[in-house]
Amino acid sequence: MATDYDAAYEKSMNDPDAFWAEQAEDCHWYKKWDKVLDDSNKPFYRWFTGGEVNTCYNALDYHIDNGRGDQLALIYDSPVTETSKKYTYNELRDEVAKFAGALAAQGVVKGDRVIIYMPMIAEAAIAMLGCARIGAVHSVVFGGFAAKELATRIEDAKPKVIVSASCGIEGKKTIKYKPLLDGAIEFSSHKPDKCIVFQRPMEKAEMISGRDLDWAESVAAAAPHDCVPVAATDPLYILYTSGTTGQPKGVVRDNGGHMVALKWSMKAVYDVDAGDVYWAASDVGWVVGHSYIVYGPLLKGCTTILFEGKPVGTPDAGVFWRVISEHKVRTMFTAPTAFRAIKREDPEAKLLKNYDLSNFKYLFLAGERSDPDTIQWSENNLKVPVIDHWWQTETGWSIVANCAGLHLYPVKYGSPTKPAPGWDVQVVDPDCNQVKAGEIGALVVKLPLPPGTLPTLWQNDDRYVESYLDEFPGYYKTADAGYIDEEGYVYVMARTDDIINVAGHRLSTGGMEEVLSDHPDVAECAVLGVADKLKGQIPIGFLVLNAGVTRENDEIIKEVIQMVRDRIGPVAAFKTATVVKRLPKTRSGKILRGTIQKIADNSDYKVPATIDDPTTLDEMEVALNNIGLAKSRT
Ligand code: COA
Ligand code: AMP
């Protein structure tokens, strides 16, 4: 029998204009669109051209105008500072309108960029929504990135204003943000006019007179700003994500398509309604934070939770259960690594017994492959459906999911289930021919992509086409490999490029190699992601030193580890490197990364026919053994 999912999927494929126009009716438009899908400039597709909207209006004022003003919009829950703060829709709108006024007072207007480099405090969401309110384009930079990475983003986005805070709190550590911000501005040739800095009580930032403004003072002096209508196709934000080089990709998100797709996804994918409490335990610096801490739940009229803590250690492995119970969370979304961390600390979930989870209905996992062990442990203990879903920064919402609000299919471990409505997912071989069910190939999506996905990369149409569209004409390349089984379940196996996923954080090994190669003693290097029980993958560096280098290997290793920390940031979790005489290569000189990775992960491997010298693999095995990998690893 056909399910609601079947009906929605079929309609989204056969009549996408009607399908998405119907969802768009659920939003507020200053002016309705002229065209739902505008394909007049292929391969650049646009959604809802001619329409005028304001995303902040739809996320806040719309609900107030519809009687939800006194409902909670946002709960800031911070075990690391032992504080929490609740905002109704009225209160959040007022704070956002004031902050929008503070930005406007600095001359920020529609289309200007604002970089937000902030920890997980409510002001980060207020700053994002404040930008949206006046049509400014925000670009949030994750706090775990170093000054150099921030500088690259400042250079590319050219913000008029940067919004930051005096510090972040990572477990028991206080991380000063201001020196990182000052360093980044120094590295960058583009300089913002102003920086607005939120002073946290635990660490006061030193301000640079004439450039830095105090958040509280700026807001106190500002007049609330109303929503500014923007074109549906105007950018709402830029979110930089790892590419294959050290130069990140500026993923652009529009206003109209994003608003329509996210609001619709809240019910269709996550099965939540207005008034429900929804919690994405991620960070506003990642796409999950953009889509499902800030925009999705607020567009839907839910109560969203902004959590400043970790799954373990803040104070213990029961903190997720405490938050779910205290705030009556219906649906939670996090990365599998967070649950692996909890499971490691409290394997029998003893802490769960202290909490009432009767309102809790679903756990959603994404950001990396969900291993069956973690899913089963969560199912057994939480007694709710545990749903793996697959998506990317570029797509903004799920490509493949078990759409809980449409129809829950039986779970097949290892598969995020079926393509979400709007997504024509296929598996192709290198010549772009569809392969048979069950055969592995490149996971691609037939164009056009649905609303809410990236229309291009920030001021770089060429890189957009080259990165995603050139290899498989007519398709979007996800850069993931996988297969689809006879029943239409999709399996996502691995990236086809050098992106790795460390604790759900997306990182480029190419970017790390660029840093290592800069060390004066390093002649050649490779960085690979190897399997890790907690973080899914961790990066390992292999260094070939210049002839004649006599310094201690350990000293050089320490230096390169520090270089990655300084240039990319602690989030790279680059803590292991080893010196080798040679790297295994093909006869044409390509490093055999796949083979090295298999050795490190203890997987079966064949000696490639193209290998230049098979003895390099034996050397690699010894080197891996020395750092506790390969055969010695269980
Ligand atoms: N600001 C500054 N530093 C940060 C940071 C931030 N926002 N986020 C992480 N870091 C630092 C950490 O302090 C750590 O530094 P260290 O090397 O000095 O210890 C480093 O970056 C690595 O952090 P993390 O990946 O968080 O590892 P961890 O060992 O501290 O914690 C987990 C492990 C599993 C608990 C943690 O990774 C986690 O909660 N993961 C969930 C991931 C997630 O939500 N992903 C979002 C996608 S849905
Ligand atoms: P990001 O852009 O940081 O969200 O990372 C996207 C990448 O994470 C994808 O291309 C996948 O490689 C991986 N990923 C995300 N979700 C899943 C999932 N549910 N299963 C397998 N891989 C995933």
Side-chain angles (χ1 to χ4, degrees):
M1 209 181 66
T3 64
D4 285 354
Y5 162 83
D6 291 327
Y9 188 80
E10 246 175 71
K11 186 161 182 190
S12 75
M13 289 296 111
N14 298 336
D15 195 353
D17 277 27
F19 180 82
W20 290 112
E22 194 183 321
Q23 318 315 335
E25 292 294 345
D26 198 22
C27 301
H28 169 271
W29 297 81
Y30 296 108
K31 177 177 171 290
K32 286 262 171 82
W33 53 91
D34 299 325
K35 263 189 141 187
V36 179
L37 171 65
D38 179 357
D39 60 0
S40 58
N41 182 29
K42 288 179 190 167
F44 300 94
Y45 296 89
R46 292 287 184 271
W47 288 92
F48 304 107
T49 41
E52 280 182 23
V53 291
N54 183 282
T55 297
C56 179
Y57 178 83
N58 274 276
L60 299 174
D61 307 62
Y62 174 89
H63 304 301
I64 296 168
D65 294 347
N66 286 282
R68 292 191 177 275
D70 292 328
Q71 184 202 300
L72 285 183
L74 186 143
I75 302 173
Y76 162 65
D77 184 305
S78 171
V80 292
T81 57
E82 294 179 353
T83 57
S84 73
K85 191 168 174 189
K86 295 179 176 174
Y87 299 77
T88 62
Y89 270 95
N90 280 326
E91 288 164 345
L92 189 59
R93 191 267 315 265
D94 291 350
E95 298 258 355
V96 167
K98 289 279 272 178
F99 187 72
L103 286 174
Q106 297 313 317
V108 178
V109 295
K110 181 157 98 177
D112 284 343
R113 273 81 55 215
V114 173
I115 279 192
I116 300 173
Y117 182 60
M118 291 183 102
M120 282 291 286
I121 52 177
E123 285 71 17
I126 291 169
M128 291 164 77
L129 291 159
C131 291
R133 196 165 186 87
I134 56 173
V137 182
H138 63 69
S139 186
V140 183
V141 179
F142 178 63
F145 282 125
K148 270 264 185 216
E149 287 286 317
L150 177 57
T152 312
R153 287 151 175 83
I154 297 173
E155 201 82 72
D156 198 63
K158 303 195 172 29
K160 189 170 242 173
V161 167
I162 301 184
V163 187
S164 191
S166 54
C167 68
I169 304 187
E170 272 292 298
K172 294 187 175 57
K173 288 176 293 185
T174 300
I175 315 269
K176 292 184 187 178
Y177 272 43
K178 191 59 185 1
L180 296 169
L181 173 64
D182 292 342
I185 295 174
E186 210 174 298
F187 285 134
S188 167
S189 63
H190 173 84
K191 312 287 177 198
D193 293 352
K194 295 282 182 236
C195 295
I196 302 181
V197 181
F198 183 80
Q199 294 279 19
R200 302 189 76 183
M202 55 293 288
E203 174 72 44
K204 287 265 176 254
E206 289 214 7
M207 305 291 262
I208 295 179
S209 152
R211 190 199 72 186
D212 297 345
L213 302 168
D214 178 78
W215 169 294
E217 286 170 15
S218 306
V219 167
H225 205 295
D226 216 344
C227 296
V228 173
V230 298
T233 50
D234 278 346
L236 169 68
Y237 69 76
I238 308 164
L239 179 57
Y240 289 89
T241 190
S242 301
T244 49
T245 64
Q247 181 65 32
K249 293 170 173 166
V251 168
V252 174
R253 197 80 63 210
D254 68 7
N255 275 275
H258 172 254
M259 172 182 80
V260 171
L262 283 196
K263 186 168 187 183
W264 171 80
S265 74
M266 290 303 292
K267 181 67 188 170
V269 178
Y270 300 101
D271 193 24
V272 291
D273 290 299
D276 286 337
V277 182
Y278 181 94
W279 178 26
S282 177
D283 189 289
V284 287
W286 305 119
V287 68
V288 176
H290 283 63
S291 293
Y292 294 112
I293 296 176
V294 181
Y295 289 112
L298 294 177
L299 286 165
K300 187 67 185 174
C302 296
T303 302
T304 187
I305 295 178
L306 197 141
F307 172 73
E308 188 181 29
K310 297 246 175 188
V312 294
T314 61
D316 58 29
V319 69
F320 275 18
W321 323 140
R322 197 267 296 155
V323 172
I324 293 172
S325 153
E326 191 173 319
H327 304 305
K328 300 191 169 38
V329 171
R330 175 183 167 85
T331 299
M332 179 187 189
F333 176 177
T334 192
T337 189
F339 268 70
R340 285 197 295 270
I342 296 172
K343 181 172 151 227
R344 194 170 71 166
E345 296 249 318
D346 183 16
E348 289 163 38
K350 288 190 181 134
L351 294 168
L352 194 54
K353 315 230 164 14
N354 305 334
Y355 300 98
D356 168 16
L357 264 58
S358 52
N359 290 289
F360 190 47
K361 297 288 178 261
Y362 300 100
L363 171 65
F364 281 81
L365 299 173
E368 56 179 319
R369 193 161 186 271
S370 279
D371 51 295
D373 264 8
T374 303
I375 297 190
Q376 282 162 346
W377 183 88
S378 312
E379 284 174 337
N380 293 339
N381 287 297
L382 296 169
K383 315 243 182 303
V384 296
V386 177
I387 300 177
D388 176 19
H389 59 327
W390 169 54
W391 51 297
Q392 310 178 312
T393 304
E394 289 84 345
T395 68
W397 62 284
S398 35
I399 311 168
V400 171
N402 204 351
C403 292
L406 294 172
H407 183 80
L408 261 192
Y409 284 91
V411 169
K412 292 193 189 182
Y413 296 117
S415 166
T417 317
K418 302 193 180 212
W423 295 91
D424 185 354
V425 180
Q426 300 183 13
V427 182
V428 294
D429 66 17
D431 299 322
C432 205
N433 300 312
Q434 257 182 279
V435 302
K436 286 199 226 96
E439 268 179 35
I440 291 195
L443 282 163
V444 295
V445 183
K446 195 157 191 309
L447 296 174
L449 296 181
T453 55
L454 82 170
T456 189
L457 294 174
W458 178 247
Q459 297 197 326
N460 206 338
D461 286 349
D462 289 348
R463 191 171 181 201
Y464 167 70
V465 172
E466 183 195 308
S467 305
Y468 303 108
L469 309 182
D470 267 355
E471 192 168 337
F472 302 107
Y475 294 88
Y476 165 79
K477 177 177 82 166
T478 66
D480 279 307
Y483 65 95
I484 304 181
D485 74 8
E486 301 278 358
E487 288 182 303
Y489 280 62
V490 179
Y491 291 75
V492 183
M493 308 306 287
R495 289 285 302 197
T496 55
D497 54 13
D498 60 5
I499 298 291
I500 58 170
N501 239 297
V502 182
H505 309 315
R506 171 168 161 178
L507 297 160
S508 158
T509 53
M512 293 186 223
E513 287 174 6
E514 284 174 22
V515 176
L516 302 191
S517 325
D518 270 357
H519 190 286
D521 294 335
V522 172
E524 201 180 12
C525 66
V527 176
L528 299 172
V530 303
D532 181 76
K533 281 201 174 114
L534 174 66
K535 298 198 173 188
Q537 282 183 302
I538 48 165
I540 306 283
F542 300 92
L543 314 171
V544 179
L545 301 183
N546 287 320
V549 171
T550 52
R551 297 175 59 212
E552 289 292 322
N553 288 350
D554 284 355
E555 214 175 300
I556 296 168
I557 288 169
K558 246 194 229 152
E559 287 165 4
V560 295
I561 288 174
Q562 192 58 41
M563 281 169 74
V564 174
R565 201 175 167 89
D566 291 345
R567 295 214 203 156
I568 297 178
V571 67
F574 183 77
K575 298 199 165 156
T576 314
T578 183
V579 172
V580 291
K581 277 207 205 88
R582 311 172 288 172
L583 291 165
K585 289 187 183 168
T586 62
R587 281 189 283 278
S588 60
K590 244 179 103 190
I591 299 171
L592 288 161
R593 291 161 197 281
T595 314
I596 306 174
Q597 187 159 9
K598 284 195 172 119
I599 301 174
D601 290 345
N602 254 346
S603 310
D604 292 337
Y605 71 93
K606 280 195 195 126
V607 177
T610 52
I611 194 164
D612 182 37
D613 177 355
T615 62
T616 50
L617 292 181
D618 303 328
E619 288 170 22
M620 191 48 70
E621 225 165 87
V622 173
L624 285 163
N625 277 184
N626 289 342
I627 49 169
L629 290 166
K631 279 184 180 156
S632 58
R633 203 175 158 83
T634 50

